Amino acid sequence: MKAKIQVVLCKCCTEIPSVLRLESLSKLASESNNVMSVMTVDAICDGKQLAPVMNDVKQKELDRAVVLACHKKDVSPTLLRAYRRAGVNEFMVELVNIREEVVLPHANEPERAQAKAEAKLRAALARSLMLQPLERQTEEMKTRNVVIIGAGVAGQAAAKEAAKAGAHTVVLEKSGKTLKVPGVVMQHSTLVGAEGYGGNLKLKIRAGEKVESLDAAALVIATGGGWTQLKGSLAKAVKDAVPLYKLNEQVQVDAPIKGPVVVVDSPDPSGKTMAVQDFAWDETLETVVELKKKHPETEIWVVFQEMRAFGLSELVYKEAADAGIKFIRYDKGGVPKADPKNPGVLSVRDFSQGEQLNIRFGTLAFASIPANPDNRLIAEVLRIPMAADGGIRRGSIQRWPVSTPRPGVFVCGSALFPKSREAAEAEGEAAGAMASAFVKRGTIEFGGVVAEVEQEKCSACLTCVRTCPYEAPFIGAAGKAEIRIQACQGCGMCVGICPSKAIELRNYTDDQIMIETRTLLGGDF
Amino acid sequence: MAERRPKIIGFCCERHGMDSAVLAARTGKQFDASVRLVQVPCAGRVDGIHILQALEDGADAVFVLGCLEKNCYYDTGSIEARKRVEYVRQMLAEMGIEKERVEMFNAASTNAWAFPEIVAKMVEVAKKLGPIEEGERR
Ligand code: SF4
Ligand code: SF4
């Protein structure tokens, strides 16, 4: 069947015609192959103007469209739905961002802008002819369970919030502690296995002696930090030391703080069990400066192996030093120590002066806190990435701050990195709300722009299996790679890396990308 | 004849990459029109062959723009893309073509000046190096 294209030129009210001559774009379009109709509208984002466009589609039985308007994300959902209703597959609608890519940034050079817009139109038409109609599919979630790992501050907040929103919650708690949270609490339980994808996850849970299976629609990781499992010589010697976030909290709420105050970079200064965390330095500076402002009489010591004074933190460092805060650098030869029999004194060799100091303190805080050792197992089971300091790594901020890179798997509280109770609680609530919103959809949508393996070409080298961040490719029964489309996010990373060129990303094939590139290069501007 | 205008292709991910370009435009930045953006779902979709073909088809310079590596929407996409760009650069060097013609960039969607800087940098490269000599092209 011959392709029948509709071209829509949006004026974006008056913005686009102020730079471009729409008549010549319209002429170019109408003279191009397969273009059956060209329409100019004032603002395609205005729902009222959709009707004539869609009537035109229906009347002429068009099967694809090229729309020159603004940034995709602003125009697409309603527009694509309208096209769908008019009988045009939404994957056959090519949106060209003429406003932000041409009109706004080249407003001072209308001639070049015009030529560029024409090239973009030609490229879109070329691409349009190569597009395939695609379908999104849905799968029912078999359960509405939100499983929460960990019943600390963040975990409890997540459970309460998710339950409030109507989800069925199951909390896995490692210890035998009894909890007042909604839903089911499984004591003495840990996650030991997981299969599937967000929406339909099959979990294996060790509860006491038994291993049980549990279906879950979404998962919240709230394992907490590793403060309760603090190791290291200094931590053992000074039992009443506090984490830095605790000290910070006390400063914020004006709680009494017993001076002198010492902040040491790590509970294990010899570095055997953990490394100093990235944020330790900045957060220490911030806390001690504030403390000094509120309590100028308090003597403050900052004991660090490395002082990373760069960028803005250099200014704060200077401010702190001017305010009389004492900075002591140590090296491996003279790490800070405390005698358990005399725990109120920290002895350390000042690296720059070479002298041995004995600092009497009322409060000792550690700037770095180990991550929860359970994170490693959980990350392995769920195949999600970890941060260098042992926390769970969150996904891109565009997927929201409490999301992991895997859809349906959320993370909150100190499982990410150590934080105060308030912050952990707030994150727990956010994760609980997100998880319940996720399960409330009741179905998972997938398909559309996804990867596809041409099995004859596949040599089962496993490269795609290792590359995909979402575990979508697997080697199927035929000994060839297959894509689990429910898990495929359509990034296309596996395509270029396949040594046998056996994978294609629908509607982003090599040919489609290269035709677009070539057409754009054909323009002279 | 007027000064020859460079032709530059920018493969741009539809997440932070495109968002940074859009933000630059919306905050009123003006930049050279020579850049032709080709949108891909993720920088990791870009393959060496796309870059080489673009040079073959007349681009003076090509860049790939993805999310910041620690904030990539597809997790490892922009790291993957960088590896491939590096590979192409090595190939070009072996073929006797300046590897500066091909570059990988990362941008945050909230950074309005990143994109104009990238454009300026690539335009400068393209102008300095001029078109790829016929003999150089495969
Ligand atoms: S990378 Fe290509 S050849 Fe290797 S297993 Fe995947 S599809 Fe098959
Ligand atoms: S397109 Fe992306 S998500 Fe889909 S299988 Fe390939 S690498 Fe995985």
Side-chain angles (χ1 to χ4, degrees), chain B residues 2-138:
Chain B
E3 189 196 352
R4 181 185 173 277
R5 287 190 179 124
K7 291 186 176 180
I8 297 162
I9 285 286
F11 293 106
C12 183
C13 82
E14 71 178 23
R15 300 290 166 179
H16 284 264
M18 195 47 94
D19 283 357
S20 71
V22 166
L23 183 68
R26 287 187 183 166
T27 49
K29 311 273 185 303
Q30 298 284 306
F31 38 81
D32 199 286
S34 316
V35 168
R36 292 121 163 106
L37 290 183
V38 176
Q39 181 165 309
V40 282
C42 165
R45 170 65 192 96
V46 180
D47 193 345
I49 186 164
H50 305 153
I51 300 174
L52 292 172
Q53 188 66 46
L55 293 172
E56 176 102 25
D57 287 340
D60 304 316
V62 178
F63 67 90
V64 178
L65 174 59
C67 308
L68 295 181
E69 290 190 0
K70 284 195 171 169
N71 203 11
C72 176
Y73 189 83
Y74 293 110
D75 209 44
T76 48
S78 54
I79 297 175
E80 198 55 54
R82 184 170 290 277
K83 287 191 212 154
R84 295 184 198 169
V85 167
E86 224 19 79
Y87 182 72
V88 170
R89 281 162 59 93
Q90 271 173 26
M91 269 174 74
L92 290 179
E94 281 163 23
M95 284 154 57
I97 298 177
E98 301 85 352
K99 63 177 186 194
E100 294 78 15
R101 291 184 190 272
V102 175
E103 200 80 60
M104 171 81 205
F105 295 100
N106 306 90
S109 57
T110 48
N111 185 339
W113 39 259
F115 189 76
E117 275 179 9
I118 293 167
V119 173
K121 179 155 182 230
M122 291 317 280
V123 169
E124 194 191 310
V125 168
K127 282 195 173 152
K128 193 181 91 196
L129 299 178
I132 300 178
E133 300 289 325
E134 268 314 311
E136 276 179 313
R137 244 185 255 272
R138 282 184 307 160

Side-chain angles (χ1 to χ4, degrees), chain A residues 449-452 464 467-473 482-484 487-495 503-505, chain B residues 74:
Chain A
V449 177
V450 291
E452 217 174 356
C464 55
T467 305
C468 174
Y470 305 100
E471 298 253 319
E482 287 174 35
I483 307 286
R484 208 179 268 116
C488 178
Q489 301 282 303
C491 63
M493 238 185 282
C494 54
V495 181
I503 315 180
E504 240 180 28
L505 185 68
Chain B
Y74 293 110

Side-chain angles (χ1 to χ4, degrees), chain A residues 453 457-465 475 481 494 497-500 502-503:
Chain A
V453 180
K457 290 191 187 165
C458 171
S459 52
C461 69
L462 292 173
T463 310
C464 55
V465 178
I475 303 294
C494 54
I497 210 155
C498 168
S500 312
I503 315 180

